[in-house]
Amino acid sequence: AVMHEADDRKIPMLVVNGKAPAFLRERDGWYPGLMRSALARFRAILAVDEAAARAFRKGGAPLSAVAVTGRMEEESAVLPGLEAERAALARLFAARPVWFAAGVTDAEEAAVLQAHRMALQHSHRLLLILMLADPARAAPLARQLEEDGWVVAQRALEEEPEPGVEIFVADNPAEYGLWYRLAPVTFLGGSLLGKGPTRNPMEAAALGSAILHGPRTGQSGPIFGRLGAARATRAVASANDLGDALGDLLAPDRAARLAQAAWAVASEGAEVTDGVLARIRAIMDGEE
């Protein structure tokens, strides 16, 4: 209905980032020529690749309207972060190795702690920044960790990650961007024993933190597929795997390779996006 009304009022329409034309399954074939009629209304159909372009042509799009432009840039996943706060914490961390466990579920807490204990055997100054999926669990977990013998500081109590602190418990979801900026390595909670990562993988990728994740990708499956194809993440299957992978990525050059590859995936498509915006401006200005 929206396409019909737009066409009736001579409002230009574009398909951008096009992957394949399809109606809801229960509508398929209910009106002969419906797909061809719908696609004919578009001034241009910009497909992500040749396979997508073939699908649009097969669906009845005018051949002259279909072009392969590539994938547009992902919606920006760059989270905010106060630079003054980052710089102050970076001075406190000094040259300590740091990793961030982001959005950890209740079921994964033991696995993260086991991995941290394993990695501490090789890097005794290692600091874990721990952010739980449920911020309300932060304070009780911090108390439990202290009872278990860990040296803990809590962000909520304005405690500092002093040199002897082993686990820094954070609880403010608004500060994810700060921790991604500070930690060279991030484990995505929810991906090991949850239903999928509790955070968008592109958040860490866009801010230069190397990504560790479990086998459960949830709704982020396509994103992990792209990151995996670029060798931009390290997948783990268990707490032992997580500890081993963490120990490996504490080598700065290895973490940097993953982070660079992930950043490239997060930033790809910027040129395509600029081209689409330029075309929209030209149409609105009556130049096309």
Side-chain angles (χ1 to χ4, degrees):
V2 172
M3 290 189 290
H4 173 81
E5 291 296 325
D7 184 55
D8 195 49
R9 300 179 194 188
K10 309 301 181 188
I11 298 173
M13 293 187 291
L14 303 176
V15 172
V16 300
N17 224 36
K19 298 177 177 66
F23 291 125
L24 295 175
R25 183 173 300 174
E26 57 268 25
R27 292 186 181 181
D28 283 356
W30 70 280
Y31 184 87
L34 180 61
M35 178 66 77
R36 182 179 298 275
S37 172
L39 293 176
R41 296 185 171 118
F42 288 90
R43 179 171 299 196
I45 295 172
L46 310 180
V48 297
D49 54 29
E50 186 55 44
R54 285 196 301 270
F56 279 104
R57 296 185 194 109
K58 185 177 179 180
L63 298 183
S64 60
V66 180
V68 177
T69 56
R71 187 185 301 275
M72 290 176 64
E73 189 176 17
E74 291 280 346
E75 181 180 355
S76 177
V78 178
L79 298 178
L82 294 175
E83 173 55 25
E85 189 74 7
R86 187 211 63 79
L89 283 164
R91 286 193 294 271
L92 281 173
F93 293 162
R96 292 186 67 181
V98 178
W99 72 296
F100 178 34
V104 174
T105 64
D106 294 2
E108 293 170 322
E109 291 171 7
V112 168
L113 294 173
Q114 180 181 330
H116 188 49
R117 196 180 298 278
M118 289 174 60
L120 277 169
Q121 296 175 9
H122 307 288
S123 181
H124 68 278
R125 299 176 65 242
L126 178 64
L127 174 66
L128 163 62
I129 302 171
L130 178 60
M131 177 81 84
L132 301 178
D134 178 9
R137 284 242 341 118
L141 178 62
R143 290 192 294 270
Q144 182 62 52
L145 292 173
E146 289 177 337
E147 291 175 7
D148 292 341
W150 292 98
V151 182
V152 179
Q154 294 185 61
R155 176 75 165 165
L157 300 180
E158 298 186 0
E159 296 173 343
E160 302 287 4
E162 302 291 347
V165 170
E166 297 169 313
I167 301 176
F168 190 43
V169 178
D171 69 341
N172 185 353
E175 293 187 324
Y176 271 100
L178 174 65
W179 309 126
Y180 289 132
R181 286 174 169 87
L182 284 164
V185 180
T186 292
F187 164 68
L188 295 175
S191 64
L192 187 61
L193 297 173
K195 297 180 180 179
T198 56
R199 304 295 302 186
N200 180 353
M202 285 299 185
E203 293 175 350
L207 289 173
S209 190
I211 297 170
L212 287 167
H213 67 89
R216 302 185 183 184
T217 57
Q219 296 182 345
S220 298
I223 296 177
F224 278 118
R226 291 170 55 203
L227 290 169
R231 297 183 179 180
T233 64
R234 181 75 64 85
V236 299
S238 66
N240 284 336
D241 284 352
L242 179 58
D244 290 340
L246 175 60
D248 185 52
L249 289 181
L250 290 177
D253 59 325
R254 293 175 184 171
R257 280 197 295 269
L258 251 65
Q260 174 62 32
W263 181 86
V265 173
S267 60
E268 71 181 353
E271 185 175 334
V272 175
T273 303
D274 289 344
V276 170
L277 293 174
R279 188 159 191 173
I280 291 172
R281 283 194 293 269
I283 290 172
M284 293 179 70
D285 292 340
E287 300 171 0
E288 182 179 326

